[in-house]
Amino acid sequence: MEGVALKFPPLKLFNPNFPTSPATTVTFSSSSSSSSCSASLPVSATAGKEADSALGTLSLGHLTRPDFPILHQEVNGSKLVYLDNAATSQKPHQVLKALQSYYAGYNSNVHRGIHYLSAKATDQYELARKKVADFINAEESQEIVFTRNATEAINLVAYSWGISNLKPGDEVLLTVAEHHSAIVPWQLVAQRTGAVLRFVDLDENEVPEVEKLRESISRKTKLVVVHHVSNVLASFLPIKHIARWVHDVGGKILVDACQSVPHIVVDVQELDADFLVASSHKMCGPTGIGFLYAKSDILSAMPPFLGGGEMISDVFLDHSTYADPPSRFEAGTPAIGEAIGLGAAIDYLQGIGMQKIHDYETELANYLYESLSTIPNVRIYGPRPSEKVKRAALCSFNVEDVHPTDLATLLDQQHGVAIRSGHHCAQPLHRYLGVNASARASLHFYNTKDDVDDFINALSETVSFLNSFK
Amino acid sequence: MSSSVSSSFRLLTTRIPVPLSSTKSLFSSSSFKPTLSSPFLISKSISFQRIETRNQSRSPTSISASSSTSLQPVEELPPKLQEIVKLFQSVQEPKAKYEQLLFYGKNLKPLDAQFKTKLNKVEGCVSQVWVRAYLDNDRNVSFEADSDSVLTKGLAALLVLGLSGRPVEEVLRVSPDFAVLLGLQQSLTPSRNNGLLNMLKLMQKKALELYVEAEKGVLESAQSSEGGSAHNELQSSKLESNGDASSSNSTVVGSSSVGEGSVSKKDVKASEFPGLGSRGTRIKEKLEKELDPVELDVEDVSYQHAGHAGVRGSDGETHFNLKVVSKEFEGKSLVKRHRLIYGLLQEELQSGLHALSIVAKTPAEVGAA
């Protein structure tokens, strides 16, 4: 099909996916308040149906969907229902445009050049850093180190801070629900330093046992590594409290915010986090870029991670001196376009307002959980949602006597529904729960209740289909 | 689906200028909007034709099979597999293909738990799959398999039914290309398809091992490992001439025979003791040699501990039940007997053997003469 498309001169005739809505760019400033967003929400010119109805009766999902070109396609003969957002999110055309503009307009190496293009690229790159800092309420942009993704950011902390601060017998406290990226770097560093890793189990609600975590914090605890929101259990951890407990004993906390930064308001000063990591591709930004937030005094004391250009001050043959952070930790040419793309993603999210996104996704989360619960013999992992206990908009689940991979395959093949099946980079958690694998449906603010309905119908049919062979 | 499209393209070439209606239906099936004028369409259809023939000739050559450069003709497949392929080809609708696949899986005889070992596990599968091979009286290889995923079980069933009861050479000649013929390839995600590929590879590897072992048993079993390894190389070169499919497998045998003598002996002996892998065999041999037992039972119970923390990272064969009756234990306390056994198996304990459950008695204690 690609070969054929080349033959057709007017390409845009066959690309109904790109909404022509020039008005959208006007609404984005980095500090728009959420109250004004309902008036300035991007409504695509091609989405006639949506424009007719009063904005108030349409969900955030319906309103933002037109901005995401990739959602408007068919897979395997059915309309695509994308429910794998915890793995990666989709990008609004504003982000795509920013990437295009960068590469077409001012691509140039940053920090090194004198000429016009390079100055512009540098400005935009540093502006993106400022946008990230503002987004999570860091004190200054210098506290943001751009990395390839959250995994690299955690490795940075492990190999830079960990190696130089952990001694034999020191303890690093984690939970069994951590992502592999939060566990493995610390295993590697523990081997090198003689530090000990300790893991907190789940309680009867399938949430890490917070009291046990508190009790496990001692003078030996140098670092606590915890998720803010679990990518399997959908649970939230009380980071602010945990940070306080660990600070009381002189330790530090590293927050894996990959599933929280894209979905809720995250304020690093309010949480009092020492380290916080997130990935751009999960928050509507491009792949290939992520960041580490660290308090400036901690960052200043850390030795380099990767060596090379950009992170140096002076280079001699037998030794070199190093730059101040954040440059000290950004060796080589960074993913400039991608950082700028992340900045555009943050603009887009701020344009909607994180609190609004959070509120909408809470509604979706409850709807998903309740709808999924109607499937017979289904087992959803994590806590039950209630007034006190909030869940993220994702559900990892298993259906009795049905392998999750069979579910995911048939959902994709027969219904165009994209979910994930496997261990979701959380093998210790699955072992703890006593299963090999689970299926997971995860939503983002551009999903709607209709998506959930489509998913549940498809799931129901698939389960019946598979059960008919028993 | 591609075959039906290509046939309609073939129709086109014989009828230029093209009637608008037939191209329209083609276009709509690929969701194009026919807004261009007819002359455009005619020239476009010619270009379609060129692309399509490229596609047609592309499929046999671009298959990333490890060995064959052209699609293995259906006739070369084992007869039962041919039948299965033809059955799937006759079923056009994807859903119906799945039903067929699941039907096969449902009727697959389940695999006994004792065979769900690490050695029998197929790597690269999203679900768990085990495959077991054994030779029947006519030295044909037969297979058994199981999986916790019903779709994978279906695939396993295809292979089990298609390949069982056939001579080893025939099984080794099967190229994984036949998966394309099933028409399931595009329906199944790459990771699952790799499962089919890996299942087939494991089955072929096991078939080869059984064959080599059986051949070895026919001749006087070589006392020295060099004799064994030379023999293995002989066998592998003999089988190599049977086609490309076995070339990837001969390297498996090659590595086991070219290595240190004791290594080759171990790998080849893998199937000598039913239910015991190489470690189990080594344990048995060591204990036999050092303790000259009246009675010796070595049982691999690793599968009971699969998933247990200590087993992680090891290659299966981690937990064994031992029953040894030997004169060597006379005059030794229970602790001393166990220490004696542990001492003999030091090497194993340091290379992944996790635990032993030992019953150590003297002949007098068991009342044996």
Side-chain angles (χ1 to χ4, degrees):
Chain A
M1 192 160 145
E2 295 83 78
V4 170
L6 283 171
K7 306 282 182 187
F8 291 96
L11 187 66
K12 60 181 187 288
L13 270 184
F14 301 94
N15 237 325
N17 298 331
F18 275 85
T20 49
S21 46
T24 54
T25 49
V26 178
T27 61
F28 297 125
S29 57
S30 52
S31 53
S32 54
S33 64
S34 51
S35 56
S36 65
C37 75
S38 51
S40 59
L41 259 177
V43 177
S44 160
T46 58
K49 205 169 49 171
E50 282 88 353
D52 285 342
S53 330
L55 282 175
T57 59
L58 276 176
S59 71
L60 185 59
H62 287 107
L63 290 168
T64 52
R65 253 183 86 86
D67 293 331
F68 294 83
I70 197 173
L71 296 177
H72 308 277
Q73 62 177 287
E74 275 194 6
V75 298
N76 299 318
S78 313
K79 163 188 87 165
L80 168 68
V81 180
Y82 183 78
L83 303 179
D84 193 16
N85 292 287
T88 197
S89 61
Q90 300 305 347
K91 328 298 169 196
H93 65 86
Q94 288 86 343
V95 169
L96 306 176
K97 185 147 176 284
L99 280 167
Q100 173 82 4
S101 304
Y102 167 73
Y103 282 109
Y106 56 100
N107 168 53
S108 204
N109 212 323
V110 294
H111 300 143
R112 292 167 174 79
I114 310 261
H115 55 84
Y116 173 77
L117 287 185
S118 125
K120 181 157 182 197
T122 305
D123 282 344
Q124 291 301 311
Y125 180 73
E126 291 304 327
L127 179 61
R129 192 194 301 276
K130 177 133 199 344
K131 288 177 183 176
V132 174
D134 289 344
F135 192 58
I136 57 173
N137 195 27
E139 258 193 67
E140 43 183 43
S141 339
Q142 273 52 44
E143 291 178 322
I144 304 294
V145 175
F146 278 127
T147 59
R148 202 176 62 188
N149 48 31
T151 301
E152 188 177 89
I154 297 176
N155 275 279
L156 201 172
V157 177
Y159 281 96
S160 169
W161 180 90
I163 297 274
S164 52
N165 283 283
L166 293 176
K167 309 272 179 297
D170 282 347
E171 289 184 0
V172 176
L173 194 57
L174 307 96
T175 76
V176 294
E178 294 312 312
H179 188 282
H180 293 167
S181 295
I183 299 178
V184 180
W186 297 106
Q187 287 175 339
L188 294 171
V189 165
Q191 275 169 25
R192 294 247 281 245
T193 59
V196 171
L197 301 188
R198 292 186 58 191
F199 292 86
V200 173
D201 290 342
L202 308 183
D203 63 20
E204 67 275 3
N205 295 319
E206 281 178 357
V207 179
E209 216 183 317
V210 180
E211 265 316 301
K212 188 79 196 296
L213 192 138
R214 181 182 196 165
E215 284 159 27
S216 308
I217 294 177
S218 70
R219 289 250 151 251
K220 291 203 258 175
T221 311
K222 290 290 169 285
L223 183 70
V224 171
V225 178
V226 279
H227 57 271
H228 195 171
V229 172
S230 166
N231 72 322
V232 174
L233 305 168
S235 53
F236 287 68
L237 277 179
I239 298 297
K240 194 165 165 187
H241 295 301
I242 300 174
R244 191 162 34 88
W245 300 330
V246 76
H247 288 151
D248 284 345
V249 299
K252 305 219 178 323
I253 181 169
L254 186 155
V255 182
D256 172 3
C258 286
Q259 297 294 341
S260 63
V261 166
H263 303 280
I264 65 174
V265 176
V266 174
D267 183 334
V268 292
Q269 292 191 58
E270 208 238 342
L271 297 174
D272 201 17
D274 299 297
F275 304 103
L276 184 133
V277 303
S279 289
S280 150
H281 71 91
K282 294 203 163 118
M283 47 193 284
C284 300
T287 49
I289 188 110
F291 64 87
L292 163 70
Y293 158 81
K295 290 181 177 163
S296 39
D297 52 351
I298 302 178
L299 216 47
S300 313
M302 279 161 61
F305 172 40
L306 297 173
E310 190 58 45
M311 50 74 70
I312 42 85
S313 175
D314 293 304
V315 181
F316 302 94
L317 288 182
D318 58 345
H319 75 283
S320 295
T321 57
Y322 305 113
D324 287 336
S327 299
R328 186 187 303 169
F329 304 103
E330 293 184 2
T333 299
I336 307 164
E338 285 66 26
I340 295 172
L342 171 57
I346 289 177
D347 289 338
Y348 181 82
L349 294 174
Q350 298 275 46
I352 303 172
M354 290 315 295
Q355 190 55 51
K356 188 156 175 149
I357 289 179
H358 185 187
D359 294 338
Y360 175 64
E361 288 188 7
T362 305
E363 226 186 282
L364 271 186
N366 292 334
Y367 188 68
L368 174 65
Y369 190 94
E370 280 156 31
S371 308
L372 193 52
S373 304
T374 63
I375 303 279
N377 300 322
V378 80
R379 162 103 156 84
I380 306 176
Y381 301 106
R384 292 192 71 87
S386 68
E387 266 310 302
K388 281 176 61 189
V389 176
K390 299 285 174 239
R391 277 182 68 103
L394 64 91
C395 283
S396 305
F397 64 95
N398 265 308
V399 177
E400 212 176 293
D401 289 336
V402 179
H403 197 279
T405 307
D406 292 335
L407 281 178
T409 305
L410 291 170
L411 277 172
D412 169 58
Q413 291 293 316
Q414 308 282 69
H415 304 277
V417 174
I419 65 168
R420 182 157 287 254
S421 145
H423 49 67
H424 317 303
C425 288
Q427 278 187 32
L429 178 59
H430 280 77
R431 213 170 281 124
Y432 180 90
L433 294 170
V435 290
N436 275 324
S438 62
R440 180 185 70 187
S442 49
L443 312 173
H444 212 42
F445 61 86
Y446 44 76
N447 288 118
T448 61
K449 287 188 179 168
D450 297 336
D451 290 333
V452 178
D453 291 337
D454 288 342
F455 164 55
I456 298 296
N457 289 335
L459 182 63
S460 186
E461 265 187 54
T462 302
V463 171
S464 303
F465 179 72
L466 288 169
N467 279 334
S468 68
F469 287 90
K470 291 268 155 55
Chain B
M1 184 172 133
S2 57
S3 54
S4 62
V5 170
S6 61
S7 58
S8 45
F9 279 131
R10 261 181 263 127
L11 281 173
L12 278 175
T13 51
T14 58
R15 283 182 222 164
I16 296 164
V18 175
L20 203 61
S21 51
S22 57
T23 49
K24 213 174 186 176
S25 58
L26 274 169
F27 275 90
S28 57
S29 69
S30 41
S31 68
F32 273 123
K33 296 172 182 52
T35 54
L36 302 177
S37 57
S38 49
F40 245 109
L41 280 170
I42 293 169
S43 52
K44 289 306 167 270
S45 65
I46 294 173
S47 64
F48 264 124
Q49 176 57 39
R50 258 187 260 124
I51 289 170
E52 197 47 45
T53 38
R54 245 185 275 136
N55 278 344
Q56 273 189 299
S57 55
R58 192 166 57 92
S59 48
T61 51
S62 72
I63 298 297
S64 54
S66 49
S67 37
S68 53
T69 47
S70 63
L71 203 58
Q72 187 179 36
V74 183
E75 295 68 38
E76 277 184 30
L77 295 174
K80 286 225 198 80
L81 195 59
Q82 276 185 46
E83 264 177 50
I84 293 174
V85 166
K86 290 191 176 139
L87 175 65
F88 272 89
Q89 283 177 327
S90 71
V91 175
Q92 292 292 340
E93 213 216 308
K95 185 166 181 183
K97 283 197 205 266
Y98 277 118
E99 285 173 350
Q100 193 59 48
L101 188 67
L102 292 178
F103 180 73
Y104 273 114
K106 181 179 174 188
N107 292 328
L108 181 65
K109 177 179 155 231
L111 188 65
D112 211 70
Q114 60 166 313
F115 296 119
K116 292 187 180 174
T117 64
K118 186 81 189 217
L119 274 180
N120 287 344
K121 202 160 185 207
V122 179
E123 295 305 317
C125 258
V126 185
S127 44
Q128 298 191 90
V129 189
W130 300 271
V131 160
R132 183 192 160 225
Y134 57 93
L135 292 180
D136 62 23
N137 294 331
D138 302 319
R139 301 269 224 90
N140 290 328
V141 63
S142 277
F143 298 98
E144 287 181 349
D146 211 338
S147 172
D148 54 357
S149 146
V150 292
L151 287 173
T152 312
K153 198 167 170 191
L155 290 174
L158 294 189
L159 290 175
V160 164
L161 287 172
L163 301 179
S164 284
R166 305 305 303 167
V168 172
E169 297 88 35
E170 197 179 278
V171 169
L172 293 178
R173 267 202 306 271
V174 173
S175 146
D177 303 348
F178 80 89
V180 179
L181 299 172
L182 291 171
L184 281 171
Q185 191 179 37
Q186 53 267 55
S187 304
L188 299 173
T189 56
S191 56
R192 191 183 295 278
N193 214 45
N194 285 341
L196 182 71
L197 192 76
N198 290 331
M199 266 191 264
L200 178 62
K201 274 194 186 153
L202 187 63
M203 284 166 136
Q204 287 174 328
K205 177 181 164 196
K206 284 181 177 294
L208 183 62
E209 280 173 4
L210 289 174
Y211 181 89
V212 166
E213 181 48 37
E215 288 296 302
K216 188 166 174 269
V218 167
L219 305 173
E220 280 293 311
S221 53
Q223 287 308 309
S224 73
S225 44
E226 278 76 32
S229 59
H231 183 78
N232 292 346
E233 278 174 54
L234 212 86
Q235 288 310 306
S236 62
S237 59
K238 184 173 146 193
L239 289 167
E240 236 175 291
S241 58
N242 281 340
D244 291 335
S246 61
S247 61
S248 50
N249 293 314
S250 63
T251 53
V252 168
V253 175
S255 61
S256 63
S257 57
V258 163
E260 300 94 2
S262 56
V263 172
S264 71
K265 203 161 142 202
K266 276 179 233 158
D267 287 354
V268 165
K269 276 202 162 173
S271 51
E272 200 168 273
F273 301 108
L276 277 186
S278 50
R279 174 167 288 135
T281 309
R282 288 198 296 277
I283 292 176
K284 195 153 184 165
E285 284 168 359
K286 190 79 187 248
L287 295 178
E288 263 174 13
K289 182 168 155 213
E290 302 291 330
L291 299 175
D292 194 21
V294 166
E295 202 181 309
L296 175 60
D297 264 322
V298 177
E299 193 192 340
D300 184 343
V301 292
S302 312
Y303 70 94
Q304 290 174 359
H305 299 269
H308 159 75
V311 166
R312 233 178 304 157
S314 62
D315 208 22
E317 297 206 270
T318 54
H319 292 69
F320 285 88
N321 290 343
L322 298 181
K323 179 171 177 201
V324 193
V325 181
S326 161
K327 279 205 147 128
E328 293 291 318
F329 295 140
E330 271 166 16
K332 295 197 171 73
S333 68
L334 196 66
V335 170
K336 274 219 163 115
R337 295 179 192 185
H338 283 215
R339 281 194 14 208
L340 175 60
I341 293 180
Y342 276 116
L344 292 174
L345 301 177
Q346 258 313 302
E347 227 182 271
E348 301 299 330
L349 287 162
Q350 275 161 15
S351 64
L353 173 61
H354 185 72
L356 296 167
S357 173
I358 303 176
V359 172
K361 298 210 183 292
T362 65
E365 284 162 3
V366 291

